[in-house]
Amino acid sequence: MARALIGIGANLPAGDGAPPLASCKAALAALAALPGLRLVAASRWWESAPIPPNPASPRYINGVALLEGSAEPAKLLAELQAIENAAGRTRPYPNAPRVLDLDIIDLDGRVRDAPDPVLPHPRAHLRGFVLYPLAEVAPDWVHPRLRQPVAELIAALPAQDVRPLP
């Protein structure tokens, strides 16, 4: 049975004015409804500063979902992008603020460089807003390329502005 770790993030209100946290919670519900997968665990919600830093960009809400079941990378990516698009996601430029962002962090330990999605996510090991919530749902996770446990990756992080929501 495949195990998928999905990063969830948002920092702009939805088209209906709903705050980013509401978009993240709605995305979690949409993930739970994906055919062939079941939601096993969800992290707490975390708040973080944008990376790369952008003073004009609002803070992000982030979390990680652990799904189990059957998933092919391209199909799962298409399903995640459909959820993003339904939420009103636009992609005007790289690292733009967004209504919703869903990323495949890991899919059953697969390593692939092409085609999309690249697995594991190429920058996940550098981002506290991914690693802290990931450690909550998969404390045994080992980065498939680096062969380092999530706890070691967290310990190696430079200081980042990431904190759990109260």
Side-chain angles (χ1 to χ4, degrees):
M1 181 170 305
R3 179 168 102 157
L5 291 162
I6 308 297
I8 304 167
N11 74 333
L12 293 178
D16 64 1
L21 180 58
S23 296
C24 289
K25 289 179 178 180
L28 187 61
L31 292 172
L34 288 176
L37 293 167
R38 72 180 179 90
L39 178 64
V40 175
S43 70
R44 292 180 288 175
W45 297 110
W46 292 71
E47 183 184 74
S48 66
I51 296 178
N54 178 352
S57 181
R59 295 178 66 80
Y60 277 87
I61 303 299
N62 301 282
V64 170
L66 171 60
L67 306 171
E68 286 183 349
S70 174
E72 286 304 315
K75 182 174 186 281
L76 180 57
L77 179 62
E79 290 170 330
L80 298 184
Q81 289 175 341
I83 294 169
E84 291 175 338
N85 293 341
R89 168 86 187 258
T90 60
R91 293 169 173 77
Y93 56 90
N95 298 313
R98 55 204 71 158
V99 169
L100 183 63
D101 186 30
L102 299 174
D103 289 319
I104 304 171
I105 305 304
D106 183 44
L107 183 57
D108 213 28
R110 294 183 197 193
V111 174
R112 66 186 242 167
D113 294 317
D116 276 345
V118 173
L119 294 172
H121 188 284
R123 292 170 302 285
H125 65 287
L126 304 172
R127 296 177 168 172
F129 66 82
V130 171
L131 295 177
Y132 290 118
L134 188 152
E136 292 179 345
V137 299
D140 61 335
W141 184 72
V142 175
H143 192 287
R145 282 188 196 272
L146 303 176
R147 297 284 175 224
Q148 290 180 278
V150 66
E152 285 182 19
L153 294 170
I154 289 171
L157 284 174
Q160 294 181 10
D161 185 359
V162 180
R163 59 182 173 262
L165 290 181

